[in-house]
Amino acid sequence: MNFTFSEALKLTLLLVLTFSVAGCAHNQSGPEAASWGRVPVGGIAENSSRFWYSACFRMPWDGEGRPNWALDALLAREVVLPVLQGASGDIALWRFHRRAGRDATGHQFNFLMYATPEIAESALVSMEQSSVVQSLLREGSLKSVVRTCRGEVPKAALDAHSDPGWHPHIQQSWPYFIMGVSAHWLALVDSVSKEIGRPGQASIPILLSHYGEVHQEITQLWQGQGQHAYIHHLSAIFAYEPLFIQRFIGF
């Protein structure tokens, strides 16, 4: 069976949304998720009004010299999710990037969005002024919030943040794929947090403990069901054709 690019994109969207519900089907996030979890189908035309903007949350290592991954989940749900819910579709594309390397950047959680300068500015100010962000900064759990992570000028090209070593077709379509993955992960964070029960009016240490539990639960889902839910179905989208592993990749 042959699929056009548009049909394949629609199938990818269907799978992503199915996984988002199936991850914790007994505790769905509610209808409000549709406003931020919808992946655009049919392509977004590049124009002079939209650019890629980013908010980069830089964090220190924990007491044992390791990244505290609970902070990523906390920032995603407590800081980024309200922005996405309030954007009402004005952010055309968005994604997360998580990294923790033994270098000058260290542990960093990035939120990237493809939007107009006005929408991006409103979103960035909202995140910077978030009471959660301000509390994290005061307590030292967050070192800084930086715009344009690498100091680069916002770019209008849809593939501006794709790997330049990829084939151009993959570079152009990558933003749709990674937005779907990011929306699914955020839906998991939201759903698991609700199931565990987020403490109300909580201090930063209590919130970090809560999102530590969320991170552990999602890790178990990834390790226990990721082979079938993600890898198998991704392989199915590409007709189960063999994948050429060019080199060992360490994460």
Side-chain angles (χ1 to χ4, degrees):
M1 184 180 296
N2 296 320
F3 294 96
T4 65
F5 172 78
S6 178
E7 290 170 335
L9 192 59
K10 290 177 182 178
L11 283 172
T12 303
L13 170 63
L14 178 62
L15 284 169
V16 168
L17 293 180
T18 299
F19 298 156
S20 297
V21 174
C24 289
H26 58 285
N27 188 14
Q28 298 180 23
S29 299
E32 70 275 8
S35 66
W36 55 267
R38 185 184 299 116
V39 180
V41 177
I44 292 177
E46 292 181 7
N47 56 60
S48 58
S49 65
R50 291 195 186 103
F51 302 84
W52 281 107
Y53 296 89
S54 57
C56 318
F57 301 89
R58 293 179 176 170
M59 295 156 279
W61 303 107
D62 67 12
E64 299 179 1
R66 299 177 301 185
N68 184 352
W69 295 114
L71 278 163
D72 293 26
L74 187 159
L75 288 165
R77 187 166 185 260
E78 302 288 336
V79 179
V80 177
L81 179 54
V83 167
L84 291 171
Q85 290 173 327
S88 300
D90 291 329
I91 298 176
L93 289 164
W94 59 272
R95 59 168 289 201
F96 293 126
H97 181 259
R98 307 174 69 185
R99 61 98 65 199
R102 299 294 175 178
D103 51 28
T105 302
H107 181 194
Q108 184 166 282
F109 178 70
N110 303 337
F111 172 66
L112 295 88
M113 55 187 155
Y114 193 59
T116 64
E118 295 77 18
I119 294 299
E121 179 65 20
S122 176
L124 290 166
V125 169
S126 178
M127 288 184 284
E128 290 167 343
Q129 295 181 351
S130 162
S131 60
V132 172
V133 166
Q134 293 303 312
S135 294
L136 288 169
L137 288 168
R138 284 195 300 270
E139 297 196 11
S141 296
L142 184 63
K143 293 197 296 186
S144 61
V145 181
V146 181
R147 299 189 185 192
T148 59
C149 308
R150 298 174 183 174
E152 55 203 12
V153 175
K155 299 176 181 177
L158 207 62
D159 60 355
H161 291 280
S162 298
D163 192 313
W166 296 337
H167 189 284
H169 289 321
I170 294 181
Q171 292 185 48
Q172 282 290 316
S173 57
W174 171 256
Y176 302 97
F177 170 78
I178 200 62
M179 177 177 170
V181 173
S182 296
H184 172 59
W185 177 75
L186 180 54
L188 280 176
V189 171
D190 186 48
S191 186
V192 172
S193 177
K194 288 177 178 177
E195 179 183 60
I196 295 174
R198 179 197 181 283
Q201 301 297 319
S203 64
I204 293 301
I206 292 176
L207 280 178
L208 283 173
S209 176
H210 169 74
Y211 283 103
E213 293 182 57
V214 171
H215 170 70
Q216 290 301 321
E217 173 97 9
I218 293 176
T219 297
Q220 290 175 11
L221 290 173
W222 160 252
Q223 293 175 337
Q225 299 185 24
Q227 178 177 334
H228 180 254
Y230 305 127
I231 298 174
H232 166 76
H233 284 282
L234 184 60
S235 176
I237 287 293
F238 291 95
Y240 300 108
E241 294 290 350
L243 179 66
F244 177 50
I245 304 297
Q246 302 177 51
R247 60 186 176 84
F248 174 78
I249 300 176
F251 298 96

